[in-house]
């Protein structure tokens, strides 16, 4: 099959039919217009199972999300990202897709999705959806056919390999969810690769037919009006075709937020099982497709030994991902020197790339517990939000973050996450950050829905419910912060220059088209001060709900967990 990128340009026709795209994916020239709304816009992530249940089955659904979109619009977000809602046996709760082009009945129907998109657009919200392209469910028709024998048309659509002479797997690659990344299949008398669950076989991206089939599936949702994608495990698509073993690393001595050190997956350098050079070419094909649709975007999830460098590589040049995120801010460290180091490394490699910064998501412990536990007063939680909204890049808020939801302690008998069940008790999995959204404190199940929720509603979340958030609450703080940020061109679009490292204070400047903004944050439990150059003596001071900062002509004095912004004309 000819590579999609090598085919000649044809006449300009938009939108393309599926058959036109398959014949000539580069037909449209020039590119569709793009407002770059995503470049500095705020994305709000929704885990559909846990947002709003409308039919009483205990699982959130698409009509429930539609009913709550006004909450997100009022908050000041620019777009939403929906975690998977596709047909799935739900072994990994939607990240094991059995039909890329349909909605799982537990979430609703395609018509429900179309209604959601229409309502979101009416409210001025863009809609991004997850795409899980590196692997499928073992119940996907492609895999059912592939495993039937070694000669069928899809025999090499997945990563199959012969056993070694002693019957062991072809190499030492490991699954993130525990054990070998290889599962023996008695029908084909071969191993197949799975980076995650045994029921999530990896697709073979060395096969051009696989790439084209996935591009067709991506196009399906673009034609339904989606504005972009979050790409799950975006650096996992391509494996080393020679199946070389990874070199040993040993138990990590420093925290890796992407993988707990108790998981042997972290004991290898992942040189060959992911992040291969050929991955770049498929990202270019994806970008070529999205560039034919107005105002679309992609954000990729990067889990890599050097996530910041991979983020930069995948977002540079304007021909791959629009933005990417890694796990550097999803761990337990948040001191000023640590944060300075993260941003210094990133700024050194990013070039014209664009980051997406998340402090919580559906895969990690909630920020209000992971960082916020250091300050029960809640000031650190507000400071973290202020930092996130001040960075160069696109902030992504995980649902419930605006309420200050903490990590739930889920009893073993209530666990649903297979990752947590396997790794218990050292790692309790991801259920603690996936509990239902509390809307109304005195309603059954905190207003999530009438039926027993798929995960319990933690009692400690009731005082944080949406209807309990007053004028001085965290939700009001997020709302005013997001709306204020929209009017600050330096924060939305500007470059970023770090001030020198400080033991307690993280300070950096943002600048864009007539505005300079100095961002000063005390990430410590002790008072701190920062000397100001004379040029900042006449700056405008912005507190925006943060307290504890005093600004004089030559000094910023900060109480613990305090912050402030100062602005000047550029």
């Amino acid at each position: 099959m000819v590579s999609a990128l090598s085919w000649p340009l044809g006449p300009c026709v938009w939108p393309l039919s599926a058959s036109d795209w398959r014949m000539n994916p580069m037909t449209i020239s020039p590119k569709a217009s793009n407002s770059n709304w995503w470049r500095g816009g705020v994305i709000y992530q929704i885990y559909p199972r846990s947002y709003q249940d409308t039919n009483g089955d205990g699982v959130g659904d698409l009509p429930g999300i539609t009913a709550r979109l006004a909450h997100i619009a009022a908050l000041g977000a620019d777009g939403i990202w929906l975690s998977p809602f596709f047909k799935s046996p739900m072994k990994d709760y939607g990240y094991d897709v059995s039909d890329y082009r349909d909605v799982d009945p537990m979430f609703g129907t395609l018509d429900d999705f179309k209604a959601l998109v229409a309502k979101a657009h009416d409210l001025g919200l863009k809609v991004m959806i997850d795409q899980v392209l590196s692997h499928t469910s073992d119940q996907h028709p492609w895999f059912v056919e592939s495993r039937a024998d070694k000669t069928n048309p899809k025999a090499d659509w997945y990563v199959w390999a012969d056993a070694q002479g002693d019957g062991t797997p072809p190499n030492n690659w490991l699954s993130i969810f525990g054990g070998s990344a290889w599962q023996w299949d008695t029908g084909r008398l071969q191993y197949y690769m799975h980076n995650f669950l045994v029921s999530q076989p990896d697709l073979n991206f060395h096969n051009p037919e696989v790439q084209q089939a996935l591009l067709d599936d991506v196009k399906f949702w673009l034609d339904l009006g989606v504005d972009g994608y979050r790409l799950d495990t975006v650096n996992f698509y391509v494996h080393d075709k020679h199946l070389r073993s990874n070199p040993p690393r040993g138990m990590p001595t420093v925290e890796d937020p992407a993988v707990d050190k108790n998981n042997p997956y972290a004991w290898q350098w992942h040189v060959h099982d992911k992040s291969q050079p050929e991955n770049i070419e498929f990202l270019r094909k994806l970008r070529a497709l999205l560039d034919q649709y107005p105002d679309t975007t992609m954000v990729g999830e990067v889990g890599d030994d050097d996530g910041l460098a991979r983020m930069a590589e995948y977002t540079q040049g304007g021909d791959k991902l629009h933005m990417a995120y890694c796990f550097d801010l999803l761990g337990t460290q948040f001191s000023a020197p640590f944060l300075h180091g993260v941003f210094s490394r990133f700024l050194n490699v990013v070039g014209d790339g664009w980051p997406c910064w998340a402090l919580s998501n559906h895969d990690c412990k909630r920020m209000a517990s992971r960082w916020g536990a250091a300050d029960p007063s809640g000031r650190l939680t507000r400071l973290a939000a202020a930092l996130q909204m001040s960075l160069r890049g696109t902030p992504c808020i995980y649902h419930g973050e605006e309420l200050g939801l903490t990590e739930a302690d889920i009893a073993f008998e209530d666990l649903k996450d297979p990752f947590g069940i396997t790794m218990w008790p050292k790692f309790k999995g991801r259920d603690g950050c996936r509990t239902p959204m509390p809307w109304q404190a005195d309603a059954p199940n905190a207003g999530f829905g009438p039926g027993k929720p798929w995960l319990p509603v933690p009692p400690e979340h009731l005082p944080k419910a949406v209807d309990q958030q007053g004028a001085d609450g965290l939700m009001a703080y997020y709302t005013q912060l997001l709306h204020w940020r929209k009017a600050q061109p330096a924060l939305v679009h500007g470059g970023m220059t770090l001030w020198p490292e400080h033991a307690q204070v993280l300070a950096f400047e943002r600048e864009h088209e007539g505005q300079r903004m100095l961002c000063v944050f005390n990430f410590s439990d002790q008072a701190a001060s920062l000397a100001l150059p004379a040029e900042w003596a006449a700056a405008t001071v912005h507190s925006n709900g943060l307290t504890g900062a005093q600004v004089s002509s030559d000094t910023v004095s900060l109480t613990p967990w305090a912050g402030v912004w100062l602005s000047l004309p550029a």
Side-chain angles (χ1 to χ4, degrees):
M1 178 176 288
V2 180
S3 165
L5 284 179
S6 68
W7 286 332
L9 297 176
C12 179
V13 181
W14 187 86
L16 288 173
S17 69
S19 59
D20 288 337
W21 167 254
R22 180 172 292 278
M23 290 174 60
N24 190 343
M26 302 293 288
T27 294
I28 303 171
S29 180
K31 296 177 182 178
S33 62
N34 198 310
S35 65
N36 289 333
W37 66 269
W38 50 271
R39 198 171 176 91
V42 176
I43 299 170
Y44 183 97
Q45 182 196 354
I46 298 171
Y47 193 69
R49 278 182 161 267
S50 300
Y51 207 60
Q52 180 71 70
D53 171 23
T54 61
N55 62 8
D57 66 355
V59 175
D61 46 48
L62 296 181
I65 294 171
T66 303
R68 296 295 188 179
L69 288 173
H71 166 79
I72 303 166
L75 192 66
D78 298 283
I80 60 172
W81 148 29
L82 302 178
S83 291
F85 52 83
F86 315 106
K87 277 191 174 179
S88 166
M90 299 295 164
K91 299 290 181 62
D92 191 23
Y93 293 89
Y95 285 90
D96 49 330
V97 178
S98 58
D99 187 343
Y100 282 110
R101 300 196 189 193
D102 204 357
V103 175
D104 194 279
M106 72 168 55
F107 296 122
T109 65
L110 272 175
D111 285 340
D112 291 329
F113 178 76
K114 293 174 185 177
L116 186 158
V117 172
K119 179 66 173 178
H121 288 170
D122 286 346
L123 291 169
L125 294 169
K126 302 293 187 180
V127 178
M128 301 174 66
I129 64 174
D130 238 307
Q131 289 287 270
V132 188
L133 305 182
S134 69
H135 56 268
T136 70
S137 163
D138 60 358
Q139 296 182 31
H140 194 293
W142 296 347
F143 187 71
V144 173
E145 182 175 353
S146 184
R147 78 188 313 178
D149 55 56
K150 297 180 182 180
T151 59
N152 68 78
K154 291 184 172 57
D156 63 347
W157 276 44
Y158 292 80
V159 184
W160 293 96
D162 293 330
Q164 297 191 66
D166 61 358
T168 56
N171 58 34
N172 70 349
W173 296 352
L174 296 174
S175 162
I176 292 178
F177 286 0
S180 172
W182 298 97
Q183 177 66 24
W184 182 251
D185 183 83
T186 57
R188 284 186 51 144
L189 294 180
Q190 285 183 305
Y191 285 98
Y192 67 84
M193 179 184 173
H194 60 94
N195 272 302
F196 300 94
L197 294 175
V198 169
S199 57
Q200 293 171 295
D202 273 65
L203 286 160
N204 178 19
F205 276 74
H206 292 289
N207 184 335
E209 292 180 353
V210 170
Q211 294 192 24
Q212 186 61 57
L214 291 171
L215 291 169
D216 291 344
D217 288 337
V218 169
K219 184 180 185 300
F220 173 83
W221 295 99
L222 289 168
D223 289 337
L224 289 183
V226 303
D227 303 292
Y229 297 106
R230 179 264 186 182
L231 300 173
D232 186 62
T233 59
V234 72
N235 59 309
F236 282 66
Y237 294 163
V238 183
H239 66 285
D240 172 35
K241 60 184 176 183
H242 302 295
L243 303 183
R244 289 169 287 190
S245 286
N246 287 326
R249 177 185 184 183
M251 178 181 278
T253 57
V254 296
E255 180 185 34
D256 181 349
V259 188
D260 188 274
K261 68 178 182 179
N262 296 296
N263 185 341
Y265 185 86
W267 296 26
Q268 293 182 355
W269 293 113
H270 292 276
V271 176
H272 299 301
D273 54 345
K274 59 185 180 183
S275 302
Q276 298 302 292
E278 299 95 329
N279 211 50
I280 295 290
E281 291 307 312
F282 181 69
L283 296 184
R284 289 190 173 120
K285 293 177 185 181
L286 274 174
R287 180 61 176 262
L289 171 57
L290 264 77
D291 278 348
Q292 312 314 319
Y293 292 79
D295 299 331
T296 52
T297 190
M298 295 182 291
V299 56
E301 176 199 29
V302 174
D304 190 76
D305 294 335
D306 189 351
L308 291 172
R310 198 68 61 193
M311 281 172 59
E313 178 187 19
Y314 283 8
T315 61
Q316 289 173 352
D319 63 344
K320 299 176 284 294
L321 301 180
H322 300 76
M323 43 186 172
Y325 74 88
C326 61
F327 291 79
D328 287 66
L329 298 187
L330 296 173
T332 60
Q333 299 187 64
F334 57 85
S335 69
F338 170 79
L339 294 170
H340 191 280
V342 169
F343 303 135
S344 178
R345 291 198 311 276
F346 183 71
L347 292 173
N348 284 337
V349 298
V350 65
D352 64 348
W354 193 255
C356 178
W357 299 111
L359 302 182
S360 292
N361 66 28
H362 64 290
D363 280 335
C364 68
K365 190 175 184 179
R366 282 190 174 272
M367 184 269 291
S369 293
R370 203 179 66 250
W371 290 10
D375 172 44
S377 73
R379 294 179 68 190
L380 175 52
T381 301
R382 292 186 178 223
L383 189 69
L387 168 68
Q388 185 184 22
M389 297 303 152
S390 301
L391 295 172
R392 177 181 181 268
T394 297
C396 185
I397 301 170
Y398 180 46
H399 85 248
E401 211 167 353
E402 75 274 26
L403 309 181
L405 296 188
T406 52
E407 184 81 355
D409 188 10
I410 306 296
F412 181 80
E413 56 269 22
D414 290 326
L415 283 185
K416 301 294 192 296
D417 182 15
F419 195 8
I421 292 170
T422 298
M423 295 292 174
W424 181 276
K426 287 289 188 179
F427 175 67
K428 298 183 179 180
R430 302 162 294 179
D431 289 333
C433 66
R434 298 177 175 183
T435 54
M437 180 81 165
W439 297 99
Q440 184 178 343
D442 62 355
N445 305 310
F448 170 69
K452 180 182 178 181
W454 75 288
L455 284 173
V457 177
E460 64 270 20
H461 285 185
L462 298 182
K464 300 177 183 292
V466 171
D467 73 332
Q468 301 297 301
Q469 299 273 333
D472 296 327
L474 188 62
M475 189 173 80
Y477 169 73
Y478 264 92
T479 301
Q480 69 84 25
L481 181 60
L482 266 62
H483 284 274
W484 172 77
R485 180 181 177 276
K486 289 178 185 290
Q488 313 305 319
L491 295 185
V492 177
H493 301 294
M496 179 174 170
T497 303
L498 284 168
W499 279 27
E501 182 180 320
H502 187 288
Q504 297 168 269
V505 178
L506 178 71
F508 53 87
E509 287 184 46
R510 306 286 311 282
E511 181 176 343
H512 185 74
E513 292 184 355
Q515 185 186 49
R516 291 175 65 192
M517 185 77 72
L518 174 61
C519 310
V520 183
F521 306 116
N522 180 13
F523 276 93
S524 80
D525 60 0
Q526 301 294 317
S529 62
L530 185 72
L532 284 179
E535 63 179 321
W536 290 95
T540 301
V541 178
H542 309 269
S543 59
N544 299 308
L546 293 179
T547 59
Q550 294 290 328
V551 181
S552 67
S553 61
D554 60 358
T555 305
V556 178
S557 300
L558 301 144
T559 59
W561 317 119
V564 70
W565 297 264
L566 289 78
S567 64
L568 284 174

